[in-house]
């Protein structure tokens, strides 16, 4: 009984607590109110959001907490009895009985929603009970779009090919966004950008433009420019067209001299013009069999970002090589080989007389020289005679020298095209 007597005051206290109706507190808190002066707040992602809540009137014991949303799906944002030091949420005024303002650091778009400050009352042996809430603050978090990224085709494309470029950006709010495209500084027309919402409540944007590549685009760039209400200046994403352009070289092989005298050296030059990128491999073939050539330099950047390259090979013009095909084979940027060829021509050894072709050419030379003199208006008998005599003399002289057992003095090589032209003149006459 001693034990009972000792515990009696405690039991009475417990009974008292049990008997205390919540109604008593409710009555006591008739004049209690929570004020949320901010109906709507707009903040930019990353900033600190301040949510204001003050109370007036008296209410029973129990915490004032912050909830995001009400009813099912509400989330406790701040509970003074359950402070988490690592939380982004802190109270603005410590231990106040009337000011329950909080700060939320580094606000993100997923924090968007309506925030309520809520008064709970203590219920003996039970969880705190909801009592009253403020009118709520609707929070909008504006978010800047990420730096736009421009992507192009996987493989290089040639001039005149139309290739798509896509500009993407994301994480922005609200969804109002504007995209402009430029090639160098010229505006381009693009399809309407596609805007989609992500799970984080923000939006993503994708815009595509079709670009027809040009030969001189090695130094061009395209720009995607994004404007959004959160941005003071538009954001830009760029793409260098040199990353996707492939301009195959034009290939031309020349033989010098042509025709060549027997046993002399003929130089074949392969000229690669206007190509991009610079990556190129040249090989030389003589009648399909590889021979050793030499590039005269590395690829040289000539104009508009395009490259040029010369390669050279020397071939001994032995008699049996007459009519041989010398080919310059070009593998540009890992593509299928392309080539051009020239034929090694050996002029006839003139021991024992001139060939027909040779005579035609010689005749043509004389005739064309005469024509030249006439057209120049050198009609003076003296001059004409002098010219004729000079050419006849020269011809005889050469003939005589060619008859000698010694090698003929070097003949100035006439370009193939030139001698063909002269042959045409002679046949016309
Ligand atoms: C918050 O959600 C819980 C669980 O869904 C619910 O029991 C509680 O009544 C809600 N509180 C308020 C104030 O809406
Ligand atoms: C060319 O060279 C070959 C071999 O060296 C020789 O036999 C031939 O006589 C030469 N021909 C002339 C026209 O010099
Ligand atoms: C080389 O070939 C051409 C064409 O077949 C011919 O006209 C010329 O006489 C040849 N030259 C020699 C040295 O055989």
């Amino acid at each position: 009984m001693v034990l009972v007597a000792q515990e009696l005051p405690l039991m009475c206290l417990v009974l008292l607590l049990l008997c205390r109706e919540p109604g008593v507190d409710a009555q006591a808190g008739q004049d209690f109110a929570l004020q949320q002066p901010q109906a709507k707040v707009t903040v930019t992602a990353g900033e600190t959001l301040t949510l204001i809540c003050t109370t007036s009137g008296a209410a029973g014991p129990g915490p004032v907490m912050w909830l995001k949303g009400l009813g099912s799906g509400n989330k406790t944002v701040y509970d003074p009895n359950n402070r988490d030091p690592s939380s982004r949420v802190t109270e603005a005024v410590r231990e106040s009985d009337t000011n329950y303002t909080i700060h939320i650091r580094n606000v993100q778009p997923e924090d968007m929603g309506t925030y309520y400050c809520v008064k709970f009352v203590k219920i003996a042996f039970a969880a705190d009970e909801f009592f009253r809430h403020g009118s709520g603050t609707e929070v909008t978090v504006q978010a800047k779009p990420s730096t736009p990224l421009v992507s192009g085709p996987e493989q290089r494309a040639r001039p005149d090919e139309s290739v798509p470029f896509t500009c993407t950006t994301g994480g922005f709010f609200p969804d109002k966004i504007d995209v402009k495209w430029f090639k160098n500084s010229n505006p381009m027309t693009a399809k309407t950008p596609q805007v989609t919402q992500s799970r984080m409540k923000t939006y993503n944007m994708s815009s595509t433009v079709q670009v027809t590549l040009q030969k001189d685009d090695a130094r061009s760039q395209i720009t995607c420019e994004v404007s959004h209400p959160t941005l003071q200046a538009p954001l830009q994403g760029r793409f260098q067209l040199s990353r996707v352009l492939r301009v195959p070289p034009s290939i031309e092989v020349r033989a010098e001299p042509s025709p060549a005298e027997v046993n002399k050296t003929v130089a074949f030059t392969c000229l690669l013009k206007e190509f991009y990128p610079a990556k190129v491999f040249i090989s030389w073939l003589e009648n399909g069999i590889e021979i050793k050539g030499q590039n005269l330099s590395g690829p040289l950047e000539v104009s508009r970002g395009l490259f040029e390259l010369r390669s050279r090979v020397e071939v001994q013009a032995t008699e049996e090589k007459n009519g041989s095909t010398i080919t310059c084979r070009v593998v540009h940027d890992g593509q299928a080989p392309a080539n051009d060829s020239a034929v090694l021509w050996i002029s006839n050894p003139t021991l024992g007389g001139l060939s027909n072709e040779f005579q035609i050419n010689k005749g043509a030379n004389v005739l064309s020289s005469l024509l030249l003199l006439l057209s120049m208006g050198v009609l003076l008998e003296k001059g004409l005679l002098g010219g004729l005599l000079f050419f006849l003399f020269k011809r005889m002289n050469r003939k005589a020298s060619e008859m000698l057992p010694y090698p003929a003095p070097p003949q100035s090589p006439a370009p193939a095209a030139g001698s063909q032209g002269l042959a045409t003149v002679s046949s016309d006459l």
Side-chain angles (χ1 to χ4, degrees), residues 126-347:
D128 294 337
E129 194 172 87
F130 165 73
F131 177 52
R132 228 165 254 181
H133 66 78
S135 52
T137 299
E138 194 186 318
V139 173
T140 303
V141 179
Q142 287 200 328
K144 290 178 186 177
S146 58
T147 303
L149 282 179
V150 182
S151 58
E154 296 277 303
Q155 291 176 339
R156 288 185 186 273
R158 286 164 168 250
D160 296 331
E161 274 186 68
S162 174
V163 288
F165 291 88
T166 302
C167 176
T168 54
T169 180
F172 58 91
F173 192 93
D175 64 347
K176 191 177 145 35
I177 197 156
D178 186 52
V179 186
K180 285 196 185 85
W181 284 93
F182 299 92
K183 180 176 173 185
N184 299 323
S185 54
N186 308 313
M188 288 192 284
T189 44
K191 293 175 207 145
T192 319
Q194 285 194 304
V195 177
T196 50
Q197 191 163 26
S198 79
R199 249 185 280 153
M200 307 301 252
K201 287 194 178 176
T202 56
Y203 293 93
N204 297 328
M205 185 285 298
S206 167
S207 171
T208 301
V209 78
Q210 224 31 64
V211 177
T212 302
L213 296 178
Q214 269 147 34
K215 199 175 179 178
D216 55 2
D217 273 341
R219 285 179 184 160
S220 297
Q221 69 172 4
I222 57 169
T223 306
C224 161
E225 194 179 276
V226 169
S227 303
H228 189 258
T230 54
L231 299 170
Q232 284 180 330
L235 291 174
Q236 291 184 329
R238 292 179 215 278
F239 196 102
Q240 302 298 325
L241 290 186
S242 58
R243 284 168 61 189
V244 293
L245 181 69
R246 181 188 295 121
V247 183
S250 70
I251 308 166
E252 192 192 335
V253 177
R254 278 187 203 162
E256 189 72 30
S258 185
E261 282 176 59
V262 72
N263 287 0
K264 288 276 160 78
T265 298
V266 183
F268 288 85
T269 310
C270 185
L271 174 60
L272 271 57
K273 279 205 288 206
E274 298 194 312
F275 60 91
Y276 193 91
K279 200 175 144 195
V280 73
F281 292 102
I282 298 178
S283 49
W284 286 94
L285 307 171
E286 183 182 326
N287 293 329
I289 294 156
E290 199 154 329
I291 53 171
K292 201 174 167 345
Q294 195 180 19
N295 290 354
L296 298 182
S297 68
L300 300 171
E301 199 170 335
V302 280
S303 66
R304 301 167 298 171
L306 300 174
F307 290 92
E308 192 176 290
L309 180 66
R310 271 167 221 267
S311 184
R312 195 175 135 106
V313 73
E314 286 183 354
V315 178
Q316 194 70 26
T318 56
E319 217 158 329
E320 61 271 22
K321 286 193 177 173
N322 192 21
S324 287
T325 303
I326 309 295
T327 303
C328 169
R329 192 175 63 185
V330 176
V331 175
H332 176 237
D333 192 35
Q335 299 300 292
N339 58 54
D340 189 40
S341 301
V343 176
L344 174 64
W345 289 126
I346 298 170
S347 55

Side-chain angles (χ1 to χ4, degrees), residues 67-76 116 118 120 130-133:
L67 301 188
K68 185 180 167 190
L70 280 181
S72 65
N74 71 69
K75 229 182 80 192
T76 302
Y116 296 92
V118 182
F120 287 84
F130 165 73
F131 177 52
R132 228 165 254 181
H133 66 78

